[in-house]
Short mmCIF file of all heavy atoms in Angstrom, two decimals:
data_model
loop_
_atom_site.label_atom_id
_atom_site.label_comp_id
_atom_site.label_asym_id
_atom_site.label_seq_id
_atom_site.Cartn_x
_atom_site.Cartn_y
_atom_site.Cartn_z
N SER O 295 180.01 24.95 65.24
CA SER O 295 181.05 24.53 64.29
C SER O 295 182.33 24.02 64.96
O SER O 295 183.27 23.65 64.25
CB SER O 295 181.37 25.65 63.30
OG SER O 295 180.87 26.87 63.71
N THR O 296 182.38 23.99 66.31
CA THR O 296 183.59 23.48 66.94
C THR O 296 183.26 22.42 67.97
O THR O 296 182.13 22.32 68.44
CB THR O 296 184.36 24.59 67.67
OG1 THR O 296 183.46 25.24 68.53
CG2 THR O 296 185.00 25.56 66.73
N ASN O 297 184.28 21.63 68.33
CA ASN O 297 184.05 20.58 69.32
C ASN O 297 184.90 20.70 70.58
O ASN O 297 184.68 19.99 71.53
CB ASN O 297 184.30 19.21 68.67
CG ASN O 297 183.15 18.82 67.80
OD1 ASN O 297 181.99 19.02 68.17
ND2 ASN O 297 183.44 18.32 66.61
N SER O 298 185.90 21.59 70.56
CA SER O 298 186.68 21.73 71.78
C SER O 298 186.64 23.16 72.28
O SER O 298 186.54 24.11 71.51
CB SER O 298 188.13 21.28 71.56
OG SER O 298 188.93 22.37 71.21
N GLN O 299 186.67 23.27 73.61
CA GLN O 299 186.58 24.59 74.24
C GLN O 299 187.69 25.50 73.77
O GLN O 299 187.50 26.69 73.56
CB GLN O 299 186.66 24.44 75.74
CG GLN O 299 185.43 23.89 76.37
CD GLN O 299 185.52 23.96 77.88
OE1 GLN O 299 185.56 25.02 78.46
NE2 GLN O 299 185.59 22.81 78.51
N GLN O 300 188.91 24.91 73.67
CA GLN O 300 190.04 25.76 73.31
C GLN O 300 189.87 26.34 71.90
O GLN O 300 190.13 27.52 71.70
CB GLN O 300 191.36 24.98 73.38
CG GLN O 300 191.78 24.80 74.84
CD GLN O 300 193.23 24.37 74.96
OE1 GLN O 300 193.95 24.31 73.97
NE2 GLN O 300 193.64 24.08 76.15
N THR O 301 189.39 25.53 70.99
CA THR O 301 189.16 26.06 69.65
C THR O 301 188.09 27.14 69.69
O THR O 301 188.22 28.20 69.05
CB THR O 301 188.71 24.95 68.68
OG1 THR O 301 189.41 23.76 69.03
CG2 THR O 301 188.98 25.31 67.26
N ALA O 302 187.03 26.88 70.44
CA ALA O 302 185.93 27.87 70.54
C ALA O 302 186.49 29.17 71.12
O ALA O 302 186.16 30.25 70.64
CB ALA O 302 184.82 27.32 71.42
N MET O 303 187.32 29.05 72.16
CA MET O 303 187.88 30.25 72.77
C MET O 303 188.72 31.04 71.78
O MET O 303 188.59 32.24 71.66
CB MET O 303 188.82 29.85 73.92
CG MET O 303 188.10 29.65 75.23
SD MET O 303 189.30 29.04 76.39
CE MET O 303 188.27 28.00 77.35
N PHE O 304 189.60 30.31 71.07
CA PHE O 304 190.49 31.05 70.19
C PHE O 304 189.75 31.57 68.97
O PHE O 304 190.05 32.67 68.50
CB PHE O 304 191.71 30.23 69.83
CG PHE O 304 192.71 30.27 70.92
CD1 PHE O 304 192.78 29.28 71.89
CD2 PHE O 304 193.56 31.37 71.04
CE1 PHE O 304 193.67 29.36 72.94
CE2 PHE O 304 194.45 31.45 72.09
CZ PHE O 304 194.49 30.45 73.04
N ALA O 305 188.76 30.81 68.51
CA ALA O 305 187.94 31.35 67.44
C ALA O 305 187.24 32.63 67.90
O ALA O 305 187.21 33.62 67.18
CB ALA O 305 186.93 30.31 66.99
N SER O 306 186.71 32.61 69.11
CA SER O 306 186.01 33.79 69.60
C SER O 306 186.99 34.95 69.81
O SER O 306 186.68 36.09 69.50
CB SER O 306 185.29 33.54 70.92
OG SER O 306 184.70 32.29 70.90
N MET O 307 188.14 34.61 70.36
CA MET O 307 189.13 35.65 70.62
C MET O 307 189.55 36.34 69.32
O MET O 307 189.54 37.55 69.21
CB MET O 307 190.39 35.04 71.24
CG MET O 307 190.21 34.67 72.65
SD MET O 307 190.52 36.14 73.64
CE MET O 307 190.74 35.37 75.20
#
Side-chain angles (χ1 to χ4, degrees):
Chain O
S295 14
T296 52
N297 284 318
S298 93
Q299 287 187 66
Q300 284 196 6
T301 323
M303 274 174 213
F304 280 96
S306 319
M307 284 275 196

